[in-house]
Amino acid sequence: MTLISNLTQLSPPPSTTPPPSNWPEVEGTLGVRLPADYKEIADTYGPGTFCGYLHLYHPAGATKWVSLTGPMPATIRTQLEQARAQGGDPSAPCDPQNLFAIGVTDNGEYLFWITDPTNASDTWHVAVNEARGNRWYIHDGDLTDFLTTMLSGRSAIPMFPADLLDRGPVFTPTTPATHQPAATQPQHPATESNTAPQAQDVRTWARAHGYDLPERGRVPADIIDAWKKSNPPA
């Protein structure tokens, strides 16, 4: 595990420490426990951009498009699921249900957590997809380690520009939002959580319609899809 001190020495955070996020509220909104190292990064740096290129999602992101609790993580997962259903991208590292988008680049690549196992978030690894292609880069480490190795130049991300570090590993803060936008839907709907009632709604519906579903564990994607078709948005 890479210490955040390695990251802050390499890429100094803003001189003014941003206010910490309300993590119990954020995790309740998302329905998932977040990695401790991400929360430390977010509280140390606040919302902003690394190298003027990589925008890390933050609960207080300046717009909903770069907010961790905004619509993008769920939207991107839906797009990946649709592509997979249509026979797309065989190089994806795992089921889209196990990909949680946590950042975006100026070129359109997305940064993900591989959320497997879902109940051990501090062990989640990081993945990057190619904006206009099927390549994926998998980093065998947490977010702090990914950022540190990337910003030090020890790991060259194949789809990132070759001159990424020409101006140094600089972090540029952005003005945080004055509130933490609530997600319109759980960002990880298959995760069991007391604060994610949709999962229990799906279970209740599935059992009523004859599906064999265990009391705990991941709700299969086909059951979630069937539930959505039977319960369209109002």
Side-chain angles (χ1 to χ4, degrees), residues 56-204:
L56 202 62
Y57 291 163
H58 190 283
T63 71
K64 64 181 181 179
W65 310 116
V66 291
S67 171
L68 190 72
T69 58
M72 291 310 294
T75 298
I76 297 163
R77 183 183 296 114
T78 298
Q79 292 172 349
L80 292 171
E81 289 173 339
Q82 291 173 345
R84 183 178 185 180
Q86 296 167 3
D89 198 357
S91 61
C94 60
D95 187 321
Q97 281 290 321
N98 288 329
L99 291 172
F100 191 129
I102 52 171
V104 63
T105 72
D106 283 350
N107 191 43
E109 295 98 5
Y110 287 100
L111 184 69
F112 298 89
W113 280 308
I114 300 176
T115 61
D116 184 24
T118 56
N119 62 352
S121 59
D122 290 335
T123 68
W124 293 350
H125 294 165
V126 173
V128 183
N129 72 336
E130 187 174 22
R132 286 165 287 279
N134 289 336
R135 288 188 303 173
W136 286 79
Y137 172 84
I138 311 301
H139 181 78
D140 187 19
D142 61 19
L143 180 62
T144 304
D145 187 63
F146 170 82
L147 292 172
T148 301
T149 57
M150 180 192 77
L151 295 173
S152 67
R154 297 201 307 271
S155 291
I157 315 303
M159 53 281 291
F160 285 6
D163 62 354
L164 180 67
L165 298 176
D166 281 3
R167 297 182 183 178
V170 178
F171 178 82
T172 305
T174 57
T175 302
T178 56
H179 65 286
Q180 295 174 349
T184 56
Q185 58 179 302
Q187 302 298 336
H188 213 287
T191 300
E192 193 73 37
S193 171
N194 291 335
T195 56
Q198 184 178 354
Q200 189 56 48
D201 291 345
V202 174
R203 291 181 184 281
T204 301

Side-chain angles (χ1 to χ4, degrees), residues 197-213 219-232:
Q198 184 178 354
Q200 189 56 48
D201 291 345
V202 174
R203 291 181 184 281
T204 301
W205 176 89
R207 294 194 183 97
H209 287 77
Y211 288 94
D212 184 13
L213 194 63
V219 179
D222 60 335
I223 295 180
I224 294 175
D225 290 341
W227 178 85
K228 288 179 179 178
K229 291 178 181 178
S230 297
N231 297 271

Side-chain angles (χ1 to χ4, degrees), residues 30-45:
L30 297 175
V32 65
R33 178 183 173 273
L34 297 170
D37 79 302
Y38 166 77
K39 291 184 282 189
E40 190 173 18
I41 292 170
D43 285 344
T44 300
Y45 286 88

